[in-house]
Amino acid sequence: MPPRTASLGPPPPAPRWWIWLAAWPVSAVFVLSNAATPLYGIWQDRIGFSRGTLTVVFACYIAGLIASLLVSGVLSDRVGRKPVLLPALALALLACGIFATADSVAALIAARLLTGIAVGAAVSAGMAAVTDVAGPDRKRLAALLASCAMVLGAGLGPLLAGALSELAPAPTVTVFAVEAVLLVSALLVAVRMPVRRPDRAHAPAPAPASWIRLPSVPRPSRRQLALAIAVFAPGITATSFVLSLGPSLLSALLGTESGMVAGATAFVMFLAATAVQFAVRGLRIHSILLAGATSTAVAMLTLAAAVRTDSPTLLVAAAILAGAGQGAGQLGGLTLLNAEVPAHRLAEANSAMNMGGYLPAGVLPVAAGYLSDAVGLTVGATVFAVLLATLAALGAVAALGGLRRSIHTS
């Protein structure tokens, strides 16, 4: 009787609970990404810096993230998800230590850079790992969970930090000690995650030669990537603005510098981003994108009205609409890429979409911060809001065109 040979077929699908658990490292890193938001007032009082400097500190996070995206997507597709995700979680732990002891703008910049690098790996390798664990038959569920993990973590960070900044002694130390515990648990999950190293021998196309380059997608998927960026970029830029200058707006409109209020506002924004994804998950992909772009445009018009009328109610409404815009745009973009991009280029595709979104999310709020220092918060926020509403409207037009094409071809 001939000896049996080992099967080289695909592994059995992971249990459904592992798909949910695989999203936890993404959430844990994104808790760190926004945990500093309610604490900037404490650091401003302790160190002393302007609104313009505050937006530069925030933008250093974007710089680290962009640098990470230039490498992490391609690297993850070539060597595997874990070799990228595990070092990223270690860097996030290092950032926690620097945040906890920060006593200068330089320390805040270093911590934000390291956070951005970790987040870049999380949105490329981490999100692709969720799709790998889910398998080819559960791609839409994977996109939903990966996207929700990102925005839920982004919302939990400022809520946790805001509450601890008001209730706990030594808030900057306590906040990042708690976050370090969350990251250690994520590290344990990542170590045990059931993902295999990529099998390059069976890839349909050779890997690109360069390890550091602008991430891209195969030529047939470029239109889908452009559409995803057109909707996702205004959405995440809107929420980035609320995170970077939201505390200043709340201080101007409410006369309060409470970290808990700033953290709760950010949490509500990202809670809306999470809830809207479950609400629209059954729609056509292009309908989800259209909903995201429309919500972002309305959010920015509401923000302009809030600062012109000194209305805190409209400001909170703008934050909620901005969160819904990012959530729907992000879900639509990830779902589109999961459906159209082959698995061996998926992490790179995630990097490309996030790079297209985070570049304006870094540049425009910084410009708005310095403009606000020069001409006042009302004028600066209004100019920013009108510009972003216009970009979101263009994304809505593109999504509507895609929706019409998908209806005609179905």
Side-chain angles (χ1 to χ4, degrees), residues 58-59 62-63 65-67 69-70 214-215 229 232-233 236-237 240 351-366:
F58 184 84
I62 305 294
L65 190 152
I66 295 298
L69 291 175
L70 290 172
L214 287 175
I229 292 173
F232 175 61
I236 197 166
T237 303
S240 295
S351 293
M353 187 185 93
N354 280 280
M355 181 172 286
Y358 277 105
L359 275 172
V363 172
L364 292 180
V366 169

Side-chain angles (χ1 to χ4, degrees), residues 12-410:
R16 192 181 183 91
W17 58 266
W18 247 118
I19 309 174
W20 291 78
L21 196 58
W24 172 237
V26 177
S27 286
V29 172
F30 271 92
V31 169
L32 175 64
S33 72
N34 292 333
T37 298
L39 304 176
Y40 284 132
I42 296 175
W43 283 316
Q44 279 185 299
D45 290 340
R46 183 187 303 168
I47 301 170
F49 49 85
S50 68
R51 283 194 296 264
T53 301
L54 174 58
T55 55
V56 169
V57 171
F58 184 84
C60 286
Y61 158 77
I62 305 294
L65 190 152
I66 295 298
S68 177
L69 291 175
L70 290 172
V71 181
S72 57
V74 175
L75 188 63
S76 174
D77 284 335
R78 294 192 190 183
V79 304
R81 312 309 183 200
K82 289 185 183 181
V84 175
L85 189 55
L86 294 176
L89 290 167
L91 287 179
L93 282 166
L94 178 59
C96 280
I98 297 174
F99 269 131
T101 57
D103 59 1
S104 66
V105 172
L108 293 177
I109 287 174
R112 289 296 283 172
L113 277 170
L114 290 174
T115 301
I117 293 170
V119 169
V123 298
S124 53
M127 288 184 164
V130 179
T131 302
D132 289 352
V133 171
D137 296 329
R138 297 180 290 194
K139 285 186 175 182
R140 287 199 70 146
L141 174 63
L144 174 65
L145 295 183
S147 184
C148 286
M150 174 178 169
V151 294
L152 186 60
L156 286 174
L159 179 68
L160 174 68
L164 291 177
S165 71
E166 299 286 337
L167 303 174
T172 55
V173 174
T174 304
V175 165
F176 294 105
V178 172
E179 167 59 4
V181 173
L182 300 181
L183 286 168
V184 169
S185 71
L187 195 62
L188 296 175
V189 169
V191 168
R192 299 289 298 170
M193 194 180 298
V195 292
R196 300 194 306 176
R197 295 176 74 90
D199 182 3
R200 299 304 309 172
H202 293 88
S210 175
W211 289 80
I212 303 176
R213 65 186 188 88
L214 287 175
S216 63
V217 296
R219 187 179 297 274
S221 304
R222 288 178 184 173
R223 175 181 288 182
Q224 288 83 0
L225 174 62
L227 175 58
I229 292 173
V231 177
F232 175 61
I236 197 166
T237 303
T239 56
S240 295
F241 177 76
V242 174
L243 288 171
S244 61
L245 283 183
S248 297
L249 288 169
L250 286 170
S251 176
L253 298 181
L254 295 179
T256 178
E257 296 183 359
S258 168
M260 187 176 294
V261 173
T265 301
F267 175 73
V268 168
M269 178 172 70
F270 286 111
L271 183 63
T274 304
V276 76
Q277 294 183 64
F278 283 94
V280 303
R281 68 187 187 278
L283 299 179
R284 292 174 180 265
I285 297 175
H286 292 89
S287 296
I288 297 174
L289 289 167
L290 178 60
T294 302
S295 183
T296 299
V298 175
M300 291 299 95
L301 294 177
T302 305
L303 175 65
V307 297
R308 304 300 295 185
T309 61
D310 294 331
S311 170
T313 302
L314 287 178
L315 177 62
V316 173
I320 292 172
L321 288 166
Q326 180 191 332
Q330 181 176 294
L331 175 63
L334 287 174
T335 305
L336 192 61
L337 295 181
N338 275 6
E340 298 292 337
V341 178
H344 73 285
R345 296 287 298 275
L346 185 57
E348 186 179 357
N350 289 344
S351 293
M353 187 185 93
N354 280 280
M355 181 172 286
Y358 277 105
L359 275 172
V363 172
L364 292 180
V366 169
Y370 277 106
L371 181 63
S372 297
D373 283 339
V375 300
L377 194 57
T378 298
V379 174
T382 300
V383 171
F384 172 87
V386 171
L387 173 61
L388 202 55
T390 302
L391 294 176
L394 293 175
V397 171
L400 183 60
L403 177 60
R404 288 172 175 168
R405 284 192 298 272
S406 69
I407 291 174
H408 291 157
T409 56
S410 61

